[in-house]
Amino acid sequence: MAESEEISASDLTDSQRYWIQYSRQQCLNLPSGSVTGFEWKDYCPKVFRLIQELENISNEYYMMLICSDETLRKVSSSVRAGNMFLLSKDNRFVIRTLRKSEVRVLLEMLPDYYNHLRKFRNTVLNKLYGAHVVKPVGGAKVYFVVVANIFKSDLLMHRCYDLKGSLQGRKVEKMRFREKILHKESDLDFLFYLEPLVRHRLLKQIKYDCAFLEAAGVMDYSLMLGLHVKGSPQGLLDAGRSRSAGSQGSVDSSSSTDSRRMSCDSLSRSELYSHRSSASSFRDSIDMGSELSFGDQWLPNSSNNSSFGEEMSARGVHVPKNGTANISSEGSPKSRECYDVLLYFGIVDFFQNYSVIKRIEHAYKSLQFDRKMIAAVNPKAYSSRFQEFISDIFKADDTPSLPTELTNGCR
Protein backbone atom coordinates (compact mmCIF):
# COMPACT_ATOMS: atom_id res chain seq x y z
CA MET A 1 0.00 0.00 0.00
CA ALA A 2 1.24 3.50 -0.82
CA GLU A 3 0.31 4.81 2.63
CA SER A 4 2.84 2.53 4.34
CA GLU A 5 5.68 3.03 1.84
CA GLU A 6 8.61 5.12 2.98
CA ILE A 7 10.80 7.29 0.80
CA SER A 8 14.58 7.18 0.74
CA ALA A 9 17.20 9.87 0.30
CA SER A 10 17.80 8.73 -3.27
CA ASP A 11 14.10 9.26 -4.06
CA LEU A 12 14.52 12.95 -3.25
CA THR A 13 17.38 13.46 -5.67
CA ASP A 14 16.04 11.24 -8.44
CA SER A 15 14.85 12.71 -11.71
CA GLN A 16 13.83 11.39 -15.10
CA ARG A 17 14.49 13.04 -18.45
CA TYR A 18 12.65 12.52 -21.71
CA TRP A 19 12.84 13.83 -25.21
CA ILE A 20 9.45 14.55 -26.75
CA GLN A 21 9.34 14.79 -30.53
CA TYR A 22 6.13 15.17 -32.50
CA SER A 23 5.56 12.75 -35.34
CA ARG A 24 5.14 13.99 -38.91
CA GLN A 25 1.39 13.33 -38.66
CA GLN A 26 1.13 15.34 -35.43
CA CYS A 27 3.04 18.22 -36.98
CA LEU A 28 0.39 18.51 -39.69
CA ASN A 29 -2.16 19.45 -37.02
CA LEU A 30 0.03 22.09 -35.37
CA PRO A 31 -0.04 25.81 -36.21
CA SER A 32 2.65 27.00 -38.56
CA GLY A 33 5.94 27.71 -36.80
CA SER A 34 5.16 25.55 -33.76
CA VAL A 35 8.02 23.96 -31.83
CA THR A 36 7.98 20.20 -32.37
CA GLY A 37 10.68 19.03 -29.94
CA PHE A 38 10.88 19.37 -26.15
CA GLU A 39 13.19 18.26 -23.38
CA TRP A 40 11.13 17.11 -20.39
CA LYS A 41 12.26 16.46 -16.81
CA ASP A 42 10.34 14.96 -13.85
CA TYR A 43 11.50 15.80 -10.32
CA CYS A 44 11.24 13.12 -7.61
CA PRO A 45 8.95 10.90 -9.70
CA LYS A 46 8.55 8.18 -7.05
CA VAL A 47 7.54 10.61 -4.28
CA PHE A 48 4.95 12.33 -6.44
CA ARG A 49 3.66 8.97 -7.65
CA LEU A 50 3.06 7.99 -4.02
CA ILE A 51 1.17 11.24 -3.46
CA GLN A 52 -0.92 10.53 -6.54
CA GLU A 53 -1.73 7.07 -5.19
CA LEU A 54 -2.92 8.62 -1.92
CA GLU A 55 -5.48 10.48 -4.03
CA ASN A 56 -6.32 7.46 -6.23
CA ILE A 57 -4.75 9.03 -9.30
CA SER A 58 -3.22 6.78 -11.93
CA ASN A 59 0.26 7.98 -12.89
CA GLU A 60 -0.36 6.92 -16.51
CA TYR A 61 -3.55 8.99 -16.62
CA TYR A 62 -1.76 11.93 -15.00
CA MET A 63 1.11 11.91 -17.49
CA MET A 64 -1.28 11.57 -20.43
CA LEU A 65 -3.04 14.79 -19.37
CA ILE A 66 0.03 16.78 -18.37
CA CYS A 67 2.09 15.86 -21.45
CA SER A 68 -0.65 16.86 -23.89
CA ASP A 69 0.11 19.03 -26.91
CA GLU A 70 -1.79 21.97 -25.43
CA THR A 71 0.14 21.82 -22.16
CA LEU A 72 3.51 21.68 -23.90
CA ARG A 73 2.69 24.63 -26.15
CA LYS A 74 1.21 26.88 -23.47
CA VAL A 75 3.72 26.11 -20.73
CA SER A 76 6.74 26.51 -23.01
CA SER A 77 5.41 29.86 -24.26
CA SER A 78 4.95 31.25 -20.74
CA VAL A 79 6.78 34.53 -20.34
CA ARG A 80 6.77 35.13 -16.60
CA ALA A 81 6.99 32.51 -13.84
CA GLY A 82 3.94 32.31 -11.58
CA ASN A 83 1.84 34.24 -14.09
CA MET A 84 0.16 31.29 -15.80
CA PHE A 85 -2.64 29.02 -14.64
CA LEU A 86 -3.60 26.19 -16.98
CA LEU A 87 -6.36 23.67 -16.32
CA SER A 88 -6.10 20.06 -17.42
CA LYS A 89 -8.79 18.76 -19.76
CA ASP A 90 -10.58 16.90 -16.97
CA ASN A 91 -10.61 20.05 -14.79
CA ARG A 92 -8.89 18.15 -11.98
CA PHE A 93 -5.39 19.64 -12.16
CA VAL A 94 -3.99 23.15 -12.30
CA ILE A 95 -0.61 23.77 -13.90
CA ARG A 96 1.28 26.78 -12.61
CA THR A 97 4.68 28.04 -13.67
CA LEU A 98 7.25 28.67 -10.93
CA ARG A 99 10.64 30.24 -10.50
CA LYS A 100 13.57 27.87 -10.07
CA SER A 101 14.01 29.08 -6.47
CA GLU A 102 10.38 28.15 -5.71
CA VAL A 103 10.90 24.66 -7.13
CA ARG A 104 13.91 24.31 -4.85
CA VAL A 105 11.80 25.20 -1.81
CA LEU A 106 9.15 22.69 -2.89
CA LEU A 107 11.66 19.87 -3.27
CA GLU A 108 13.32 20.60 0.06
CA MET A 109 10.07 20.25 1.98
CA LEU A 110 8.71 17.39 -0.16
CA PRO A 111 9.49 14.47 2.25
CA ASP A 112 7.87 16.28 5.19
CA TYR A 113 4.97 17.31 2.97
CA TYR A 114 4.39 13.68 1.97
CA ASN A 115 4.42 12.58 5.62
CA HIS A 116 2.05 15.42 6.51
CA LEU A 117 -0.42 14.23 3.86
CA ARG A 118 -0.26 10.70 5.23
CA LYS A 119 -0.85 11.85 8.80
CA PHE A 120 -3.57 14.41 8.04
CA ARG A 121 -5.72 13.07 5.24
CA ASN A 122 -8.03 16.09 5.52
CA THR A 123 -5.30 18.70 5.30
CA VAL A 124 -6.30 22.08 3.88
CA LEU A 125 -2.97 22.32 2.05
CA ASN A 126 -3.31 22.19 -1.71
CA LYS A 127 -2.31 18.79 -3.09
CA LEU A 128 0.93 18.73 -5.13
CA TYR A 129 1.01 16.05 -7.82
CA GLY A 130 4.19 16.78 -9.74
CA ALA A 131 7.08 19.15 -10.43
CA HIS A 132 8.50 19.36 -13.93
CA VAL A 133 10.63 21.43 -16.28
CA VAL A 134 10.17 21.64 -20.03
CA LYS A 135 12.58 23.19 -22.53
CA PRO A 136 11.53 23.65 -26.15
CA VAL A 137 14.17 23.41 -28.86
CA GLY A 138 15.97 26.74 -28.97
CA GLY A 139 13.97 28.04 -25.98
CA ALA A 140 14.42 28.59 -22.25
CA LYS A 141 13.58 26.20 -19.43
CA VAL A 142 10.16 26.61 -17.86
CA TYR A 143 9.54 25.20 -14.38
CA PHE A 144 6.03 24.30 -13.32
CA VAL A 145 4.08 22.46 -10.65
CA VAL A 146 0.86 20.48 -10.97
CA VAL A 147 -1.63 20.90 -8.13
CA ALA A 148 -5.23 20.00 -7.36
CA ASN A 149 -7.90 22.32 -8.73
CA ILE A 150 -9.59 23.68 -5.61
CA PHE A 151 -12.51 24.98 -7.68
CA LYS A 152 -13.21 21.66 -9.39
CA SER A 153 -17.00 21.72 -9.60
CA ASP A 154 -19.80 21.92 -12.10
CA LEU A 155 -21.22 24.79 -10.06
CA LEU A 156 -20.61 28.43 -10.85
CA MET A 157 -18.22 30.21 -8.50
CA HIS A 158 -19.99 33.50 -7.84
CA ARG A 159 -16.87 34.98 -6.29
CA CYS A 160 -13.26 33.87 -5.81
CA TYR A 161 -10.69 35.22 -3.35
CA ASP A 162 -6.94 35.01 -2.79
CA LEU A 163 -6.46 35.91 0.88
CA LYS A 164 -3.20 36.33 2.80
CA GLY A 165 -4.56 38.10 5.85
CA SER A 166 -2.79 41.38 5.15
CA LEU A 167 -3.35 44.08 2.55
CA GLN A 168 -0.70 46.55 3.67
CA GLY A 169 2.23 46.61 1.30
CA ARG A 170 0.56 44.03 -0.95
CA LYS A 171 0.10 44.69 -4.66
CA VAL A 172 -3.47 45.68 -5.36
CA GLU A 173 -3.76 44.39 -8.92
CA LYS A 174 -5.90 41.25 -9.15
CA MET A 175 -4.94 37.99 -10.78
CA ARG A 176 -7.26 36.07 -13.06
CA PHE A 177 -7.99 32.36 -12.74
CA ARG A 178 -9.71 31.13 -15.90
CA GLU A 179 -12.42 33.77 -16.43
CA LYS A 180 -12.63 34.74 -12.78
CA ILE A 181 -10.91 37.58 -10.97
CA LEU A 182 -9.21 36.52 -7.74
CA HIS A 183 -10.33 39.21 -5.32
CA LYS A 184 -8.21 40.22 -2.36
CA GLU A 185 -8.78 41.29 1.23
CA SER A 186 -9.93 44.75 0.20
CA ASP A 187 -12.90 43.16 -1.60
CA LEU A 188 -13.88 40.70 1.13
CA ASP A 189 -17.25 41.72 2.59
CA PHE A 190 -18.51 38.34 3.81
CA LEU A 191 -18.35 36.39 7.05
CA PHE A 192 -18.99 32.66 6.90
CA TYR A 193 -20.88 30.96 9.73
CA LEU A 194 -20.23 27.26 10.31
CA GLU A 195 -21.61 24.68 12.71
CA PRO A 196 -19.38 25.09 15.82
CA LEU A 197 -17.86 21.61 15.71
CA VAL A 198 -17.08 21.97 12.00
CA ARG A 199 -15.34 25.27 12.71
CA HIS A 200 -13.43 23.81 15.65
CA ARG A 201 -12.02 20.97 13.57
CA LEU A 202 -11.32 23.17 10.57
CA LEU A 203 -9.30 25.68 12.61
CA LYS A 204 -7.47 22.85 14.36
CA GLN A 205 -6.47 21.35 11.02
CA ILE A 206 -5.33 24.75 9.73
CA LYS A 207 -3.24 25.08 12.89
CA TYR A 208 -1.47 21.80 12.06
CA ASP A 209 -0.99 22.87 8.44
CA CYS A 210 0.45 26.25 9.38
CA ALA A 211 2.77 24.62 11.93
CA PHE A 212 4.13 22.45 9.12
CA LEU A 213 4.68 25.47 6.85
CA GLU A 214 6.32 27.41 9.67
CA ALA A 215 8.71 24.54 10.39
CA ALA A 216 9.54 24.43 6.66
CA GLY A 217 10.42 28.14 6.78
CA VAL A 218 7.67 29.02 4.31
CA MET A 219 5.62 32.20 4.18
CA ASP A 220 3.58 34.24 1.67
CA TYR A 221 0.97 31.50 1.18
CA SER A 222 -2.70 32.30 0.90
CA LEU A 223 -6.20 30.88 1.24
CA MET A 224 -7.84 30.50 -2.14
CA LEU A 225 -11.58 30.57 -1.54
CA GLY A 226 -14.54 30.31 -3.89
CA LEU A 227 -18.21 30.57 -3.02
CA HIS A 228 -21.32 29.38 -4.78
CA VAL A 229 -24.71 30.74 -3.77
CA LYS A 230 -27.02 27.74 -3.35
CA GLY A 231 -30.42 27.83 -4.97
CA SER A 232 -29.39 30.34 -7.61
CA PRO A 233 -31.89 30.36 -10.51
CA GLN A 234 -30.61 28.66 -13.65
CA GLY A 235 -31.03 31.90 -15.53
CA LEU A 236 -28.67 33.63 -13.14
CA LEU A 237 -26.06 30.89 -13.57
CA ASP A 238 -26.25 31.15 -17.35
CA ALA A 239 -26.01 34.92 -17.16
CA GLY A 240 -23.05 34.61 -14.81
CA ARG A 241 -21.20 32.40 -17.26
CA SER A 242 -21.79 34.76 -20.17
CA ARG A 243 -20.83 37.80 -18.07
CA SER A 244 -17.84 36.25 -16.33
CA ALA A 245 -15.20 37.94 -18.41
CA GLY A 246 -16.84 41.36 -18.17
CA SER A 247 -18.15 41.28 -14.61
CA GLN A 248 -14.88 39.86 -13.26
CA GLY A 249 -16.60 37.04 -11.45
CA SER A 250 -18.52 39.20 -9.01
CA VAL A 251 -21.99 38.60 -7.67
CA ASP A 252 -24.64 40.69 -9.38
CA SER A 253 -26.07 42.76 -6.53
CA SER A 254 -28.61 44.73 -8.54
CA SER A 255 -30.96 42.49 -10.55
CA SER A 256 -32.14 39.15 -9.16
CA THR A 257 -30.66 39.87 -5.74
CA ASP A 258 -33.96 39.20 -4.02
CA SER A 259 -34.21 35.79 -5.70
CA ARG A 260 -30.88 34.72 -4.17
CA ARG A 261 -30.94 36.60 -0.89
CA MET A 262 -32.37 35.06 2.26
CA SER A 263 -33.59 37.66 4.71
CA CYS A 264 -32.22 36.89 8.13
CA ASP A 265 -35.84 36.89 9.35
CA SER A 266 -36.83 34.23 6.80
CA LEU A 267 -34.91 31.34 8.35
CA SER A 268 -37.07 28.69 9.97
CA ARG A 269 -36.53 28.77 13.72
CA SER A 270 -38.03 25.33 14.19
CA GLU A 271 -35.67 23.81 11.62
CA LEU A 272 -32.69 25.56 13.13
CA TYR A 273 -33.66 24.45 16.63
CA SER A 274 -33.91 20.87 15.44
CA HIS A 275 -30.52 21.08 13.71
CA ARG A 276 -28.75 22.56 16.71
CA SER A 277 -30.36 20.16 19.15
CA SER A 278 -29.13 17.15 17.17
CA ALA A 279 -25.68 18.67 16.72
CA SER A 280 -25.49 19.49 20.43
CA SER A 281 -26.47 15.99 21.50
CA PHE A 282 -23.83 14.53 19.19
CA ARG A 283 -21.14 16.85 20.52
CA ASP A 284 -21.84 15.54 24.00
CA SER A 285 -20.82 12.05 22.90
CA ILE A 286 -17.86 12.85 20.60
CA ASP A 287 -14.21 12.97 21.62
CA MET A 288 -12.95 16.42 20.68
CA GLY A 289 -9.40 15.11 20.74
CA SER A 290 -10.04 12.48 18.10
CA GLU A 291 -8.37 12.52 14.69
CA LEU A 292 -9.70 15.26 12.46
CA SER A 293 -12.22 14.00 9.96
CA PHE A 294 -14.71 15.61 7.65
CA GLY A 295 -16.60 12.40 6.96
CA ASP A 296 -18.39 12.09 10.31
CA GLN A 297 -22.15 11.65 10.22
CA TRP A 298 -22.84 14.82 12.20
CA LEU A 299 -21.67 17.03 9.37
CA PRO A 300 -24.45 18.42 7.16
CA ASN A 301 -24.53 16.83 3.70
CA SER A 302 -21.26 15.04 4.39
CA SER A 303 -19.92 11.89 2.81
CA ASN A 304 -16.95 9.68 3.44
CA ASN A 305 -15.23 11.20 0.40
CA SER A 306 -15.54 14.81 1.62
CA SER A 307 -12.64 16.88 2.89
CA PHE A 308 -12.24 20.32 4.36
CA GLY A 309 -12.80 22.92 1.66
CA GLU A 310 -14.70 20.64 -0.70
CA GLU A 311 -18.27 21.85 -1.10
CA MET A 312 -18.55 22.95 2.54
CA SER A 313 -21.98 24.28 3.49
CA ALA A 314 -22.01 27.61 5.29
CA ARG A 315 -24.11 30.70 5.84
CA GLY A 316 -22.52 33.69 4.15
CA VAL A 317 -23.42 36.99 5.80
CA HIS A 318 -22.77 40.10 3.73
CA VAL A 319 -21.38 42.78 6.03
CA PRO A 320 -20.09 46.30 5.36
CA LYS A 321 -16.43 47.28 5.57
CA ASN A 322 -15.22 50.18 7.66
CA GLY A 323 -13.17 51.76 4.88
CA THR A 324 -9.85 50.23 5.93
CA ALA A 325 -10.30 46.88 4.18
CA ASN A 326 -11.55 45.40 7.45
CA ILE A 327 -14.98 43.87 7.83
CA SER A 328 -17.17 45.85 10.18
CA SER A 329 -19.80 44.35 12.49
CA GLU A 330 -21.64 47.64 12.63
CA GLY A 331 -24.76 48.43 10.66
CA SER A 332 -28.47 47.83 10.68
CA PRO A 333 -29.61 44.19 10.66
CA LYS A 334 -32.07 45.10 7.90
CA SER A 335 -29.10 45.86 5.62
CA ARG A 336 -27.60 42.40 6.15
CA GLU A 337 -27.90 39.77 3.48
CA CYS A 338 -27.69 36.07 4.34
CA TYR A 339 -26.75 33.55 1.66
CA ASP A 340 -26.83 29.79 1.84
CA VAL A 341 -23.46 29.04 0.21
CA LEU A 342 -21.08 26.25 -0.68
CA LEU A 343 -17.41 26.99 -0.01
CA TYR A 344 -14.38 25.66 -1.88
CA PHE A 345 -10.99 26.54 -0.41
CA GLY A 346 -7.43 25.48 0.28
CA ILE A 347 -4.03 26.86 1.29
CA VAL A 348 -2.01 27.50 -1.86
CA ASP A 349 1.31 28.93 -3.09
CA PHE A 350 3.50 27.66 -0.25
CA PHE A 351 6.71 27.85 -2.28
CA GLN A 352 8.29 31.01 -0.86
CA ASN A 353 10.83 30.96 1.97
CA TYR A 354 11.94 33.95 4.01
CA SER A 355 14.77 34.71 1.63
CA VAL A 356 17.14 37.64 1.56
CA ILE A 357 14.87 39.35 -0.96
CA LYS A 358 11.87 38.95 1.36
CA ARG A 359 13.90 40.28 4.30
CA ILE A 360 14.83 43.35 2.26
CA GLU A 361 11.18 43.75 1.24
CA HIS A 362 10.19 43.54 4.92
CA ALA A 363 12.73 46.22 5.90
CA TYR A 364 11.67 48.54 3.08
CA LYS A 365 7.92 48.22 3.60
CA SER A 366 8.32 48.55 7.37
CA LEU A 367 9.21 52.17 6.70
CA GLN A 368 5.79 52.72 5.11
CA PHE A 369 3.45 50.38 7.02
CA ASP A 370 3.04 48.60 10.32
CA ARG A 371 5.78 45.95 10.20
CA LYS A 372 3.48 43.38 11.79
CA MET A 373 0.81 43.83 9.13
CA ILE A 374 2.81 43.81 5.89
CA ALA A 375 2.79 40.69 3.74
CA ALA A 376 6.54 40.01 3.99
CA VAL A 377 7.12 38.82 7.56
CA ASN A 378 8.98 35.85 9.01
CA PRO A 379 7.27 32.42 8.87
CA LYS A 380 6.26 32.40 12.56
CA ALA A 381 4.63 35.82 12.42
CA TYR A 382 3.02 34.97 9.08
CA SER A 383 1.54 31.73 10.44
CA SER A 384 0.12 33.43 13.52
CA ARG A 385 -1.45 36.29 11.57
CA PHE A 386 -2.83 33.96 8.90
CA GLN A 387 -4.58 31.77 11.49
CA GLU A 388 -6.03 34.81 13.24
CA PHE A 389 -7.39 36.08 9.93
CA ILE A 390 -8.98 32.72 9.10
CA SER A 391 -10.56 32.60 12.55
CA ASP A 392 -12.05 36.05 11.95
CA ILE A 393 -13.79 35.17 8.69
CA PHE A 394 -15.04 31.72 9.72
CA LYS A 395 -17.47 32.19 12.61
CA ALA A 396 -19.35 29.69 14.77
CA ASP A 397 -23.10 29.80 14.18
CA ASP A 398 -24.02 29.94 17.87
CA THR A 399 -20.97 31.65 19.28
CA PRO A 400 -21.41 34.78 21.48
CA SER A 401 -19.34 36.64 18.84
CA LEU A 402 -22.34 36.55 16.48
CA PRO A 403 -23.70 40.13 16.43
CA THR A 404 -26.78 40.55 18.64
CA GLU A 405 -28.83 42.08 15.83
CA LEU A 406 -28.16 39.00 13.70
CA THR A 407 -29.14 36.52 16.42
CA ASN A 408 -32.49 38.29 16.80
CA GLY A 409 -33.51 37.62 13.23
CA CYS A 410 -31.23 34.93 11.84
CA ARG A 411 -31.41 32.03 14.26
Side-chain angles (χ1 to χ4, degrees):
M1 294 293 292
E3 294 190 13
S4 62
E5 189 169 351
E6 299 293 336
I7 56 178
S8 63
S10 61
D11 295 329
L12 302 174
T13 57
D14 185 28
S15 63
Q16 294 180 353
R17 295 177 181 270
Y18 308 92
W19 176 256
I20 302 176
Q21 180 69 51
Y22 289 152
S23 66
R24 181 174 298 180
Q25 184 63 35
Q26 289 175 317
C27 292
L28 295 176
N29 300 322
L30 295 175
S32 177
S34 297
V35 177
T36 59
F38 302 86
E39 181 183 351
W40 179 282
K41 181 179 179 180
D42 297 333
Y43 289 103
C44 306
K46 178 180 177 180
V47 182
F48 282 113
R49 187 167 60 250
L50 293 175
I51 294 176
Q52 293 166 17
E53 291 176 2
L54 287 177
E55 301 298 313
N56 298 316
I57 297 172
S58 165
N59 182 254
E60 291 75 14
Y61 177 73
Y62 168 86
M63 292 302 294
M64 180 181 66
L65 286 174
I66 301 306
C67 291
S68 68
D69 295 345
E70 181 183 15
T71 301
L72 289 172
R73 290 199 306 270
K74 291 189 175 181
V75 170
S76 60
S77 62
S78 176
V79 177
R80 200 172 100 188
N83 200 37
M84 189 204 74
F85 295 91
L86 178 64
L87 276 174
S88 61
K89 289 184 178 179
D90 66 347
N91 204 36
R92 184 170 187 176
F93 308 121
V94 173
I95 299 169
R96 182 180 178 185
T97 53
L98 297 179
R99 297 187 298 271
K100 185 176 181 179
S101 60
E102 293 175 316
V103 174
R104 188 179 300 114
V105 171
L106 185 162
L107 297 178
E108 287 177 354
M109 71 174 181
L110 188 58
D112 292 331
Y113 172 79
Y114 170 62
N115 291 328
H116 186 81
L117 291 186
R118 291 170 59 190
K119 183 176 181 180
F120 300 103
R121 298 298 294 120
N122 292 294
T123 177
V124 185
L125 296 178
N126 197 199
K127 304 297 192 304
L128 309 178
Y129 295 134
H132 313 274
V133 58
V134 62
K135 181 180 182 299
V137 175
K141 291 182 177 180
V142 179
Y143 299 86
F144 66 96
V145 63
V146 181
V147 302
N149 179 15
I150 292 174
F151 298 150
K152 183 181 183 298
S153 174
D154 294 331
L155 300 175
L156 172 69
M157 294 295 117
H158 288 101
R159 184 162 293 191
C160 303
Y161 298 94
D162 181 69
L163 307 169
K164 294 181 181 292
S166 172
L167 188 67
Q168 294 188 9
R170 189 181 179 194
K171 295 180 180 179
V172 296
E173 64 265 20
K174 299 180 178 68
M175 296 184 64
R176 184 178 291 273
F177 180 79
R178 296 189 73 182
E179 296 180 336
K180 293 295 182 183
I181 289 292
L182 294 179
H183 297 275
K184 297 187 179 181
E185 290 83 355
S186 59
D187 304 302
L188 181 63
D189 51 3
F190 278 94
L191 293 176
F192 303 103
Y193 288 85
L194 307 172
E195 201 280 334
L197 189 51
V198 177
R199 178 180 183 271
H200 169 82
R201 291 194 166 190
L202 171 62
L203 295 184
K204 191 173 183 180
Q205 181 59 60
I206 291 178
K207 180 179 180 180
Y208 290 140
D209 293 337
C210 287
F212 160 75
L213 296 176
E214 180 183 335
V218 172
M219 42 80 69
D220 210 28
Y221 44 89
S222 59
L223 183 79
M224 186 174 286
L225 182 149
L227 68 90
H228 167 79
V229 180
K230 294 173 66 175
S232 298
Q234 186 60 41
L236 175 66
L237 296 181
D238 294 338
R241 291 190 180 96
S242 63
R243 290 195 312 267
S244 57
S247 64
Q248 301 181 337
S250 62
V251 180
D252 182 6
S253 59
S254 55
S255 63
S256 302
T257 296
D258 293 336
S259 64
R260 290 176 288 114
R261 182 176 62 195
M262 296 186 303
S263 168
C264 291
D265 294 328
S266 69
L267 299 180
S268 169
R269 296 188 181 186
S270 61
E271 291 180 3
L272 185 65
Y273 177 79
S274 174
H275 167 71
R276 286 186 176 167
S277 296
S278 60
S280 177
S281 62
F282 193 91
R283 285 197 299 270
D284 293 338
S285 62
I286 196 169
D287 177 12
M288 293 295 288
S290 61
E291 182 181 357
L292 303 184
S293 171
F294 198 74
D296 294 331
Q297 296 301 316
W298 54 266
L299 290 170
N301 303 319
S302 67
S303 70
N304 291 332
N305 295 324
S306 297
S307 297
F308 288 123
E310 294 181 9
E311 216 170 86
M312 177 181 284
S313 294
R315 184 163 54 88
V317 178
H318 187 273
V319 292
K321 293 179 291 186
N322 58 17
T324 60
N326 294 320
I327 293 179
S328 171
S329 60
E330 300 178 358
S332 169
K334 298 299 183 181
S335 64
R336 307 286 178 126
E337 298 175 5
C338 297
Y339 297 86
D340 190 13
V341 300
L342 292 175
L343 301 179
Y344 300 78
F345 58 84
I347 298 175
V348 301
D349 296 343
F350 39 91
F351 311 120
Q352 178 64 58
N353 59 6
Y354 197 47
S355 62
V356 173
I357 294 178
K358 285 297 179 181
R359 294 171 190 267
I360 294 175
E361 179 184 345
H362 173 82
Y364 173 73
K365 290 183 177 179
S366 294
L367 301 176
Q368 309 172 60
F369 309 100
D370 181 353
R371 64 173 54 199
K372 294 182 179 180
M373 294 306 298
I374 59 179
V377 294
N378 67 72
K380 183 176 182 179
Y382 195 98
S383 171
S384 177
R385 185 182 65 199
F386 183 80
Q387 292 179 66
E388 182 178 353
F389 174 77
I390 298 299
S391 179
D392 285 342
I393 63 174
F394 289 114
K395 301 289 188 180
D397 226 351
D398 61 357
T399 182
S401 64
L402 186 66
T404 303
E405 59 266 39
L406 273 181
T407 60
N408 289 336
C410 201
R411 289 189 287 177

